[in-house]
Amino acid sequence: MKQESLKPTVAYLGPEASFTHIAAQDFFGTGALVPFASIPDCIEAVTEGRVAYAVVPLENALEGSVPLTIDYLFHGSDLFINAELSTPIQQHLMVHQQQANAIESLESIHSHPHALAQCHKYLQYHFRRVPLIQTTSTAAAAKYVSENPNLNIAAIGNKLAADTYGLHIAEESIHDFHFNHTRFVVLSLRKETLTYENSGIPKTTLMVKLPEDDQPGTLHQILSVFSWRKLNLSKIESRPLKTGLGNYFFIIDVAETEAHPMMKGALEELDALLCEVTSFGSYYTYDQRISADK
Ligand SMILES: O=C(O)C(=O)Cc1ccccc1
């Protein structure tokens, strides 16, 4: 555990044995981890001060951003990112022990939308006509399968979920691409940078809204604010502002801390360009090496 002495209360997207649970447990240890049924519930719990931190998935290497997290974090939350956890993901097909010999006649396959998407080719090839049912998490799907022994249904999730809910793994490693990592973020009401051994390169996440009077070259100007200062961008993503078709904001990750003089200069210049900039804080990426039995 990396923050063991603190024993903070930490909300995570549950139930028990979700990927978020594994990531949160690896980082915080077996402190006071509290499962919540959805990403908005986790974000609400930390915003209202019922827990010190929340851990939620932000982005997957295969599927891109998790829309619910983006929506609740970037549209009007008061939260900061304190750390990022990068976790390898392996997906397995699991069924109730009673249905272990009836896999050919599955009636539905349940999982989180990202997990279903990560296994799309496998599912298309092996279970083309089987309905795919979205759940709030992979662990919620596994739990549902365990509670319905008479239904010939499957869940997609991790090994810990199969163990926790007593399911039979019918097929291992069904994700379509080998490099399947997810970024989870640790959120709190405090602008705080959680550090740990080998913290690595810091990162700052900015939300940038362009000036309202649309001018040619604005995005180019914004990027040059970072480029001439040699501030490396590790991500830029445009997301709908939700104010009308064609209106976007940008999520920009910069490989530097907010306190760095060059970053201060960059933020001032963005201000002068009439951009609205919100910083979600500076943090480090914790690379998790979850063992294969999870
Ligand atoms: O559903 C889960 O178990 C989660 O924690 C969210 C998720 C879903 C798919 C890949 C990584 C994380």
Side-chain angles (χ1 to χ4, degrees):
M1 168 186 124
K2 318 310 158 208
Q3 308 293 326
E4 195 129 36
S5 52
L6 299 174
K7 288 278 180 211
T9 50
V10 182
Y12 70 88
L13 171 65
E16 199 185 332
S18 65
F19 284 103
T20 314
H21 187 200
I22 294 173
Q25 201 162 23
D26 191 46
F27 189 68
F28 286 101
T30 47
L33 300 184
V34 192
F36 283 81
S38 70
I39 290 169
D41 285 352
C42 292
I43 289 183
E44 203 174 276
V46 70
T47 303
E48 291 175 358
R50 284 183 275 133
V51 292
Y53 299 100
V55 182
V56 289
L58 177 67
E59 182 181 6
N60 177 262
L62 307 188
E63 286 311 304
S65 290
V66 178
L68 262 183
T69 304
I70 299 280
D71 274 359
Y72 280 82
L73 181 59
F74 290 94
H75 291 275
S77 94
D78 296 320
L79 299 178
F80 296 99
I81 304 174
N82 302 154
E84 173 181 276
L85 320 175
S86 174
T87 307
I89 302 289
Q90 293 202 21
Q91 303 287 9
H92 312 295
L93 188 73
M94 51 193 80
V95 296
H96 199 282
Q97 302 285 354
Q98 289 185 26
Q99 305 289 347
N101 297 320
I103 192 104
E104 273 74 35
S105 51
L106 274 180
E107 280 158 22
S108 56
I109 300 175
H110 302 233
S111 202
H112 184 277
H114 267 208
L116 293 170
Q118 287 160 20
C119 307
H120 203 274
K121 284 189 177 151
Y122 170 86
L123 295 171
Q124 174 75 4
Y125 191 73
H126 295 276
F127 297 102
R128 178 182 292 256
R129 295 189 208 295
V130 178
L132 305 178
I133 312 288
Q134 298 192 351
T135 55
T136 50
S137 74
T138 56
K143 186 164 184 283
Y144 181 77
V145 170
S146 76
E147 290 165 353
N148 290 278
N150 298 325
L151 298 182
N152 189 11
I153 59 177
I156 294 173
N158 59 61
K159 277 197 176 155
L160 184 66
D163 287 351
T164 303
Y165 300 106
L167 302 182
H168 165 75
I169 295 190
E171 186 101 37
E172 283 195 24
S173 297
I174 61 166
H175 44 288
D176 296 328
F177 295 92
H178 180 65
F179 189 85
N180 186 14
H181 275 62
T182 292
R183 289 170 69 198
F184 298 87
V185 278
V186 178
L187 303 172
S188 86
L189 282 167
R190 297 205 330 218
K191 210 172 212 180
E192 173 187 22
T193 306
L194 297 175
T195 52
Y196 26 87
E197 264 172 57
N198 308 319
S199 288
I201 298 168
K203 194 151 71 170
T204 302
T205 292
L206 303 174
M207 172 182 182
V208 180
K209 290 183 195 162
L210 271 44
E212 286 206 350
D213 64 326
D214 192 19
Q215 298 287 333
T218 309
L219 181 60
H220 183 270
Q221 277 180 319
I222 288 168
L223 293 179
S224 69
V225 164
F226 299 103
S227 75
W228 76 258
R229 289 183 174 85
K230 302 220 177 315
L231 291 168
N232 203 14
L233 305 188
S234 54
K235 167 179 172 158
I236 176 163
E237 177 176 1
S238 63
R239 300 289 308 180
L241 261 177
K242 301 187 187 272
T243 55
L245 206 56
N247 299 343
Y248 296 97
F249 70 90
F250 294 90
I251 300 168
I252 300 179
D253 286 351
V254 191
E256 190 47 87
T257 62
E258 216 181 319
H260 191 277
M262 282 300 187
M263 275 294 275
K264 286 189 170 166
L267 293 172
E268 277 167 21
E269 196 179 329
L270 288 174
D271 195 43
L273 289 170
L274 302 179
C275 292
E276 202 181 307
V277 183
T278 311
S279 171
F280 286 82
S282 304
Y283 56 91
Y284 292 98
T285 302
Y286 178 63
D287 276 311
Q288 301 189 299
R289 275 173 252 294
I290 307 291
S291 67
D293 56 346
K294 282 203 178 153

